[in-house]
């Protein structure tokens, strides 16, 4: 006769506790990157999400948006041209730090035409640091490479940016990516340029280049010379997926 073993409630409770402990031990916890160490800059060796300690309260608030390191719990899929079409309109002012669009994370697909260092003169968000390994990586993304890849005017360019906080999160294996955990500029350039890529990150409006976009200055007569389609960016990037080719729902040529 077979004896049926019945586990006691105490044994089951112990088993459940061990499983919970195992999950906690193996869980990946996003580190607190509010203050970056080993970040030499004119103000010292650290840099907070406020950026330049002498910046205005408004600038510090915008710096905190640029320096986000939280991984979004939800992401909205958007086409590149939908992001370009976001306000402000031709005569609009820059969106406030509390603008709803600044609070959402998006994924966008585009063709990478350029990867280069940004803010090498020392950006406020990076505490004026200028070291190549610390500054942001700017990535120019377009939707119609046949028309836009070699257009110096940047009419179709959406800028997405990888920050030092992005690089540190990637190095810890915390970000969704199919290019590995090394997000240094040289790696990004070798693996992204000339490819269709899906980027995930936080929407941010870079008011420093408000008049440098065709969306705001369609006649290119205001302030900074135009070099991009919009002031809206995906900044910071927290996910990178290189695609096998142009997605079927993106036409090869820009519609008339």
């Amino acid at each position: 006769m077979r004896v049926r073993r019945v586990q006691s409630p105490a044994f089951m409770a112990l088993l459940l506790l061990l499983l919970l402990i195992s999950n906690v031990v193996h869980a990946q916890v996003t580190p607190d990157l509010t203050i970056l160490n080993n970040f030499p800059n004119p103000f010292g060796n650290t840099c907070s999400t406020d950026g330049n300690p002498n910046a205005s309260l408004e600038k510090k608030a915008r710096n905190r948006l640029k320096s986000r390191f939280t991984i979004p719990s939800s992401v909205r899929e958007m086409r590149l041209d939908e992001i370009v079409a976001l306000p402000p309109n031709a005569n609009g002012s820059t969106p406030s730090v509390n603008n709803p669009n600044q609070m959402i994370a998006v994924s966008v697909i585009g063709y990478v035409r350029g990867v280069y260092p940004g803010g090498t003169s020392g950006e406020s968000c990076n505490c004026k640091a200028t070291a190549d390994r610390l500054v942001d990586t700017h990535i120019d993304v377009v939707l119609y490479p046949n028309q836009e890849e070699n257009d110096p005017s940047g009419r179709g360019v959406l800028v997405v940016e990888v920050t030092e906080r992005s690089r540190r999160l990637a190095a810890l294996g915390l970000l969704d990516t199919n290019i590995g955990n090394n997000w240094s500029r040289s790696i990004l350039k070798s693996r992204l340029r000339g490819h269709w890529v899906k980027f995930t990150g936080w929407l941010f409006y870079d008011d420093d280049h408000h008049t440098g976009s065709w969306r705001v200055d369609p006649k290119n007569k205001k302030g900074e010379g135009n070099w991009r389609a919009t002031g809206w960016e995906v900044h910071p990037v927290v996910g990178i997926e290189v695609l096998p080719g142009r997605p079927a729902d993106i036409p090869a040529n820009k519609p008339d």
Side-chain angles (χ1 to χ4, degrees):
M1 181 178 67
R2 297 181 61 186
V3 177
R4 183 180 180 187
R5 294 184 179 180
V6 178
Q7 307 293 356
S8 69
F11 175 83
M12 297 303 295
L14 178 60
L15 181 61
L16 178 59
L17 178 60
L18 290 173
L19 288 173
L20 289 174
I21 292 174
S22 176
N23 287 337
V24 170
V25 170
H26 292 94
Q28 292 179 315
V29 179
T30 303
D32 185 354
L33 298 179
T34 303
I35 297 178
L36 289 179
N37 295 309
N38 189 24
F39 198 93
N41 63 80
F43 307 103
N45 197 46
T46 63
C47 184
S48 80
T49 51
D50 284 347
N52 180 355
N54 298 325
S56 67
L57 293 178
E58 170 74 12
K59 188 63 175 178
K60 287 181 179 179
R62 293 188 182 276
N63 288 343
R64 288 193 292 271
L65 292 179
K66 281 187 174 184
S67 300
R68 283 175 282 197
F69 56 87
T70 53
I71 299 173
S73 58
S74 62
V75 176
R76 180 186 303 176
E77 293 186 0
M78 295 186 71
R79 279 177 58 99
L80 191 151
D81 48 7
E82 290 177 324
I83 296 177
V84 171
L86 288 173
N89 59 28
N91 296 312
S93 59
T94 61
S96 71
V97 293
N98 297 317
N99 182 287
N101 287 326
Q102 306 247 46
M103 302 296 117
I104 65 173
V106 301
S107 63
V108 61
I109 293 173
Y111 179 88
V112 175
R113 81 169 200 178
V115 179
Y116 53 96
T120 53
S121 61
E123 289 188 288
S124 178
C125 61
N126 290 327
C127 297
K128 300 287 186 177
T130 58
D132 187 73
R133 71 175 180 87
L134 301 178
V135 299
D136 297 349
T137 296
H138 284 214
I139 303 171
D140 286 349
V141 184
V142 298
L143 197 56
Y144 303 104
N146 289 349
Q147 288 88 354
E148 298 164 346
E149 185 176 9
N150 297 311
D151 181 358
S153 73
R155 288 180 183 273
V157 168
L158 173 72
V159 175
V160 307
E161 298 201 32
V162 170
T163 67
E164 174 62 8
R165 289 177 172 84
S166 303
R167 290 189 284 266
R168 295 192 184 190
L169 291 173
L172 292 171
L174 296 175
L175 303 183
D176 288 334
T177 180
N178 64 357
I179 65 167
N181 298 334
N182 182 349
W183 283 18
S184 63
R185 186 170 306 110
S186 59
I187 292 294
L188 294 180
K189 186 173 183 178
S190 66
R191 298 188 181 180
L192 303 185
R193 196 181 188 288
H195 294 278
W196 288 91
V197 181
K198 179 180 180 180
F199 293 97
T200 300
W202 293 97
L203 265 186
F204 170 74
Y205 191 88
D206 194 340
D207 63 318
D208 288 337
H209 302 294
H210 181 61
T211 61
S213 73
W214 292 99
R215 184 74 174 87
V216 168
D217 185 11
K219 295 184 179 180
N220 197 15
K221 292 185 177 180
K222 302 176 183 178
E224 180 182 11
N226 288 354
W227 59 281
R228 58 198 294 167
T230 176
W232 286 104
E233 302 176 347
V234 179
H235 185 169
V237 170
V238 294
I240 297 175
E241 178 187 357
V242 176
L243 305 179
R246 176 174 56 85
D249 62 340
I250 298 179
N253 298 303
K254 184 183 294 187
D256 294 332

